[in-house]
Amino acid sequence: MDTMLGTRLRAQQSSSQNGQETSPWTSGLGMKLEAVTPFLGKYRPFVGRCCQTCTPKSWESLFHRSIMDLGFCNVILVKEENTRFRGWLVRRLCYFLWSLEQHIPPCWDASQKVMESTGVQDVISGRAPGGAGEGQVPSSVKKEVQRILGHIQAPPRPFLLRLFSWVVLRFLNCLFLNVQLHKGHMKMVHKAAQTQGSPLVLLSTHKSLLDGLLLPFVLLSQGLGVVRVAWDPCACSPILRALLRKLGALFLPPEANLSLDSSEGILARAVVQAVVEQLLVSGQPLLIFLEELPGTQGPWLSALGQAWLGLVVQAVQMGVVQDAMLVPVAITYDLVPDACDTHHATAPRGLWTGSLAVLRSLRGWCCGPRVCARVHLAQPFSLQEYTINSRSCWGSRQTMEQLLQPIVLGQSTVVPDTEKEQEWTPITGPLLALKEEDQLLVRRLSRHILNASVASSAVMSTAIMATLLLFKHQKGVYLSQLLGEFSWLTEETLLRGFDVGFSGQLRCLVRHTLSLLRAHVALLRIHQGDLLVVTRPGPGLMHLARLSTQLLPAFLSEALGACAVRALLASKVPPEGPWELQGIELLSQNELYRQVLLLLHLLPQDMLLLQPCQSSYCYCQEVLDRLIQCGLLVAEETPGSRQACDTGRQRLRAKLLWKQSGDFTDSDSDSDDFEEAEGRYFRLSQQSRCPDFFLFLCRLLNPLLKAFAQAATFLHQGQLPDTESGYVEQLFQFLQATAQEDGFFECADRSLAIKAVWTFRDLGVLQQKPSPAGPMLHLSPTFARQDNQEKLEQFIQQFICG
């Protein structure tokens, strides 16, 4: 058994002699928490600003510093003061009266306008390819349009909307302690809608099935009106789809995904495009989810969400509306309400099954402390402005196989100075109908928006606690020490410009968080009177690993840099050597850049989620700056080299000051910058806190990197050829078996197995070939050799910190 696992078990045995496992969480601890005041009085950053490079006008015009001081509101806290009435009866019926007073603008039936739209008329009259002119009768086409339109939407019913808001309000108060929203974020959205006169398109992350109900309720309660939500038709039964359509939901018809030359597909896409155009013209807000649900076995970016976003981009480019204001949205939970039901995420949810799931959630969550949720609305920006400015940042791209395979095999040492091309999200019918240039625009825009959503998301207390227990105190930690560590990591998160979704007294907050994680954490009372907090060995560590990914964006740059430094040191000194010995080695800036680039090309883009307008070289410089700022690296002035603090270089003034950030037009610029960095060297800092912090940063990427390394080990054991899903299942079972042996259950995740298989396919390790039974995965001839498999495993292992 692994040392870590054995230590946990010994700690439990010794504690059982001095005392027994205890449950310090008591009813009411969570009820004392306040999510309005800054945590421990520390500075709370204002997050959610749009990109200054791609949308400078929006960045300046749609923000005012006064909104930073507006604070938070609890959107599910409805009292007598929130209604126009007063009295004892009002206090008991305030939820119902509040729902009656919500302003619901009239929603007209747009079927006639959809029928009269240019795209639909072209199909009906036969002017479009595959239209009615090829033998179809126009009257039958009109009936088909009505049928497709009925599948997409229905006129919202005001009575059902008010009833829905009342039911959801009561349900959310039973499920959540509070649902927080920054009033400054809401004011930015209102200002954008009023001053710009453009329709709002809200693009959100997707953490739970509840998001599709919670977000429309929050936006309706804040005066944005009825928000039309683009739902996944595969996630709902026909009865549930009919109910949701009357509440403002939109569903993409299945015919829209047919081939481009199919007459049914052409008609369905024309009707969908007309519906989106009428929504934008009427000014109704549209909510699109750009993420798949966490339980979905597939790409993280949603193909359906990109299809709806492509329809919006096409409407703006055609001049149907002058512009659209895009609003990145994110929602975070202490614990995702339906996390226990993620394996059913892809199954159609019926009305009765959905009601039973709600009742199960209420029964399970009401027995323990209630959780908190935060809704984040980032700064809106102009779609027209982004379209104009973003095209200047497009540069050359190469596949992962072209970039990394020669280096992995030792055939080359030069990392090409180009961006990686990696697209895991399939292109569906509506997006496939666009030009290739517009498809690339939509894909880059969706990544840009998700980057903004993740950057504005608050880090919840459960994510900080899971990160500490999994990556910093794997052998257990005393509660008195954990209090200080929790405060330290919270402060480090705030200093990096990320907000936190909690506040209150530190001891109550930590105990409340441990009570939420009680299924995966054990608290043992020892003879000194303190408590020992240890993680329960077993598959529950995977749940902690998933929670810790919420904190990864805040430390991603430092984690990449720490793994790059680790790879450099592994070739010079023994990894298990003392910190003082490793600090003697000089680290060249060029070598650091190279290792960071290799790691950037190896890791999936869906996980990195870098801004498309930022070049790899700029990001390497950002990583190095972060390592210096956090104190891990210290500049070393070598004799005869230019000082690191020298800012008066003629070459810098002549070549770089006038150059736009991310400009790829000069192919020699980045290589010149690398040449300038040849004389710069760094050492590891010898401060007492640096060794622990360095190991903590390296371990943040360990679950993914270890899964990749084990996938490389599995190459000579796997049964190939096999289907992609079959090989993923083989690798997942191997990860589970390995976890039972070494105790690292955080790697035994099916999503990590999928990422490893897709990464190896992009790297050229696995090849997909057609067969009568469908596409089959084969081991490429290059990596069929044992020595090349060992080179691949060594390449990955150099970044892993034990």
Side-chain angles (χ1 to χ4, degrees):
M1 190 66 67
D2 186 73
T3 305
M4 176 187 68
L5 188 57
T7 305
R8 292 175 183 165
L9 295 177
R10 287 194 299 271
Q12 293 178 4
Q13 293 171 0
S14 62
S15 298
S16 62
Q17 300 173 1
N18 301 320
Q20 59 182 2
E21 184 174 339
T22 180
S23 296
W25 36 78
T26 58
S27 60
L29 277 178
M31 306 300 291
K32 298 178 182 178
L33 300 181
E34 295 290 339
V36 178
T37 57
F39 174 72
L40 296 179
K42 298 186 182 299
Y43 169 73
R44 185 186 292 274
F46 185 83
V47 296
R49 300 296 302 274
C50 62
C51 179
Q52 194 173 7
T53 302
C54 299
T55 53
K57 294 181 180 178
S58 300
W59 185 88
E60 182 178 3
S61 61
L62 298 178
F63 176 79
H64 193 273
R65 297 193 64 86
S66 62
I67 66 177
M68 299 172 58
D69 303 324
L70 294 180
F72 294 89
C73 66
N74 184 6
V75 296
I76 63 173
L77 182 62
V78 175
K79 299 181 179 179
E80 177 186 0
E81 293 77 11
N82 299 106
T83 67
R84 294 180 298 163
F85 309 99
R86 298 293 181 268
W88 66 271
L89 184 59
V90 175
R91 288 192 290 272
R92 286 156 178 78
L93 299 177
C94 57
Y95 287 2
F96 179 73
L97 295 175
W98 175 86
S99 63
L100 292 179
E101 293 179 358
Q102 293 303 302
H103 174 65
I104 299 179
C107 301
W108 306 103
D109 187 1
S111 59
Q112 187 61 33
K113 292 183 178 179
V114 170
M115 185 71 69
E116 295 173 356
S117 65
T118 304
V120 175
Q121 285 298 317
D122 286 343
V123 176
I124 293 178
S125 61
R127 289 195 294 268
E134 299 183 6
Q136 289 181 307
V137 182
S139 60
S140 63
V141 176
K142 291 181 181 179
K143 294 181 181 178
E144 184 68 11
V145 170
Q146 294 288 349
R147 185 190 67 81
I148 296 174
L149 187 60
H151 184 95
I152 299 173
Q153 68 170 2
R157 305 293 178 85
F159 172 75
L160 285 179
L161 287 170
R162 299 186 189 280
L163 180 63
F164 158 79
S165 62
W166 174 69
V167 172
V168 170
L169 180 59
R170 296 195 65 88
F171 170 66
L172 294 179
N173 274 279
C174 295
L175 194 60
F176 293 107
L177 182 63
N178 51 55
V179 178
Q180 296 290 330
L181 174 69
H182 197 286
K183 291 183 285 187
H185 292 166
M186 200 68 241
K187 186 174 181 179
M188 282 195 302
V189 175
H190 279 296
K191 180 181 178 182
Q194 294 170 1
T195 60
Q196 302 298 322
S198 301
L200 293 175
V201 180
L202 301 109
L203 300 131
S204 175
T205 59
H206 205 8
K207 304 302 180 185
S208 165
L209 288 170
L210 190 62
D211 297 349
L213 300 177
L214 176 59
L215 289 177
F217 167 79
V218 170
L219 298 173
L220 175 65
S221 66
Q222 298 302 309
L224 280 186
V226 180
V227 179
R228 311 302 294 270
V229 185
W231 282 76
D232 184 1
C234 298
C236 308
S237 67
I239 297 178
L240 185 57
R241 285 201 299 266
L243 175 61
L244 292 176
R245 273 193 290 265
K246 296 178 180 179
L247 296 173
L250 301 173
F251 294 94
L252 194 69
E255 296 87 354
N257 294 319
L258 296 178
S259 60
L260 297 181
D261 56 354
S262 169
S263 59
E264 295 179 354
I266 292 175
L267 180 60
R269 286 188 288 271
V271 175
V272 173
Q273 181 65 42
V275 169
V276 172
E277 291 174 359
Q278 293 303 318
L279 284 177
L280 296 177
V281 170
S282 63
Q284 299 182 60
L286 175 62
L287 174 61
I288 301 172
F289 292 106
L290 290 181
E291 272 185 345
E292 295 286 0
L293 279 172
T296 304
Q297 304 301 323
W300 182 47
L301 294 176
S302 170
L304 180 65
Q306 290 189 356
W308 284 103
L309 180 58
L311 295 170
V312 174
V313 172
Q314 187 177 6
V316 174
Q317 289 183 343
M318 293 172 59
V320 177
V321 289
Q322 186 177 0
D323 197 1
M325 301 306 297
L326 304 184
V327 185
V329 182
I331 183 167
T332 52
Y333 304 93
D334 280 335
L335 291 178
V336 178
D338 52 4
C340 59
D341 198 33
T342 52
H343 59 282
H344 296 302
T346 56
R349 181 76 66 178
L351 185 59
W352 293 110
T353 56
S355 302
L356 291 176
V358 168
L359 293 177
R360 284 198 302 267
S361 298
L362 284 175
R363 185 183 63 182
W365 287 79
C366 290
C367 295
R370 290 182 292 172
V371 300
C372 303
R374 279 279 295 273
V375 177
H376 321 270
L377 302 176
Q379 183 180 2
F381 63 91
S382 166
L383 173 58
Q384 193 72 262
E385 183 185 10
Y386 177 85
T387 303
I388 296 173
N389 295 334
S390 64
R391 297 182 189 273
S392 61
C393 298
W394 294 2
S396 59
R397 296 155 63 88
Q398 290 185 4
T399 63
M400 187 177 177
E401 182 177 356
Q402 295 170 329
L403 290 171
L404 277 188
Q405 191 179 104
I407 298 174
V408 171
L409 299 177
Q411 300 171 356
S412 175
T413 59
V414 180
V415 183
D417 185 22
T418 57
E419 305 302 312
K420 179 176 66 173
E421 181 178 3
Q422 186 180 55
E423 295 295 342
W424 288 351
T425 305
I427 301 178
T428 56
L431 188 58
L432 195 62
L434 301 180
K435 296 183 294 185
E436 185 176 353
E437 184 180 6
D438 294 334
Q439 293 177 17
L440 180 60
L441 172 66
V442 172
R443 291 199 298 264
R444 293 172 68 95
L445 176 59
S446 62
R447 292 186 184 277
H448 209 298
I449 292 172
L450 276 180
N451 175 276
S453 298
V454 171
S456 63
S457 300
V459 178
M460 308 304 283
S461 60
T462 49
I464 291 182
M465 183 63 68
T467 304
L468 286 173
L469 296 178
L470 196 61
F471 300 123
K472 207 169 190 298
H473 299 289
Q474 299 176 345
K475 299 178 181 179
V477 58
Y478 293 112
L479 181 60
S480 57
Q481 181 185 357
L482 186 60
L483 295 175
E485 295 283 357
F486 191 93
S487 177
W488 163 78
L489 191 52
T490 299
E491 184 175 359
E492 291 290 337
T493 303
L494 293 172
L495 289 176
R496 282 160 177 79
F498 281 76
D499 198 6
V500 293
F502 53 87
S503 63
Q505 295 181 352
L506 179 59
R507 181 173 292 273
C508 293
L509 179 61
V510 169
R511 292 199 175 194
H512 173 76
T513 305
L514 290 173
S515 68
L516 294 176
L517 300 177
R518 61 187 180 275
H520 316 290
V521 175
L523 277 79
L524 308 172
R525 190 176 299 278
I526 56 179
H527 65 278
Q528 291 92 345
D530 203 349
L531 294 177
L532 181 66
V533 183
V534 295
T535 55
R536 299 182 186 271
L541 294 177
M542 287 188 299
H543 182 74
L544 296 180
R546 295 190 192 105
L547 287 174
S548 67
T549 56
Q550 189 184 127
L551 189 66
L552 182 58
F555 293 88
L556 180 60
S557 298
E558 290 95 328
L560 289 170
C563 289
V565 172
R566 198 270 174 196
L568 276 180
L569 292 175
S571 60
K572 299 181 180 181
V573 296
E576 65 276 4
W579 182 261
E580 292 78 9
L581 179 61
Q582 298 182 18
I584 297 175
E585 294 295 329
L586 285 178
L587 305 176
S588 167
Q589 182 168 328
N590 271 349
E591 293 177 338
L592 286 172
Y593 281 170
R594 181 179 181 275
Q595 294 297 330
V596 173
L597 279 176
L598 291 177
L599 198 52
L600 284 177
H601 294 329
L602 175 65
L603 298 180
Q605 283 188 348
D606 287 359
M607 190 207 75
L608 295 173
L609 209 65
L610 305 180
Q611 285 186 337
C613 59
Q614 187 179 27
S615 67
S616 297
Y617 172 77
C618 292
Y619 190 74
C620 288
Q621 184 61 50
E622 179 183 333
V623 169
L624 184 59
D625 292 342
R626 289 290 187 91
L627 291 179
I628 297 173
Q629 290 171 4
C630 69
L632 284 179
L633 288 184
V634 178
E636 179 71 17
E637 306 294 350
T638 58
S641 65
R642 182 184 297 114
Q643 295 183 358
C645 59
D646 182 8
T647 59
R649 293 173 291 168
Q650 295 295 328
R651 189 172 185 177
L652 178 64
R653 292 198 303 265
K655 295 196 62 177
L656 297 181
L657 286 184
W658 61 272
K659 192 173 183 61
Q660 293 183 357
S661 175
D663 187 2
F664 295 91
T665 56
D666 185 2
S667 60
D668 297 331
S669 61
D670 289 346
S671 60
D672 291 341
D673 295 339
F674 274 100
E675 292 174 3
E676 284 189 5
E678 283 186 359
R680 303 175 194 163
Y681 291 87
F682 301 89
R683 293 184 191 273
L684 287 176
S685 174
Q686 296 301 310
Q687 298 180 20
S688 59
R689 69 176 186 87
C690 287
D692 290 340
F693 189 46
F694 180 80
L695 291 177
F696 169 74
L697 292 175
C698 289
R699 288 169 179 166
L700 291 178
L701 294 176
N702 267 8
L704 180 62
L705 291 175
K706 285 184 178 180
F708 282 9
Q710 292 178 15
T713 306
F714 181 68
L715 287 176
H716 69 278
Q717 303 180 23
Q719 302 297 322
L720 288 173
D722 196 357
T723 61
E724 183 178 284
S725 59
Y727 189 71
V728 167
E729 184 63 29
Q730 289 187 50
L731 178 58
F732 177 57
Q733 292 179 1
F734 175 77
L735 294 177
Q736 287 182 316
T738 305
Q740 294 290 342
E741 297 175 2
D742 57 23
F744 290 103
F745 288 92
E746 54 267 31
C747 304
D749 195 326
R750 187 181 298 274
S751 64
L752 296 182
I754 294 174
K755 287 184 175 68
V757 171
W758 288 355
T759 299
F760 282 12
R761 183 190 61 194
D762 294 345
L763 186 56
V765 179
L766 301 174
Q767 294 179 348
Q768 198 169 40
K769 298 180 181 180
S771 71
M776 303 289 288
L777 285 180
H778 296 255
L779 189 61
S780 68
T782 303
F783 287 92
R785 297 171 49 184
Q786 183 71 24
D787 58 336
N788 286 341
Q789 294 179 12
E790 293 176 355
K791 290 178 181 178
L792 174 62
E793 185 176 359
Q794 292 172 2
F795 175 80
I796 300 172
Q797 285 285 356
Q798 67 177 332
F799 299 106
I800 299 177
C801 184

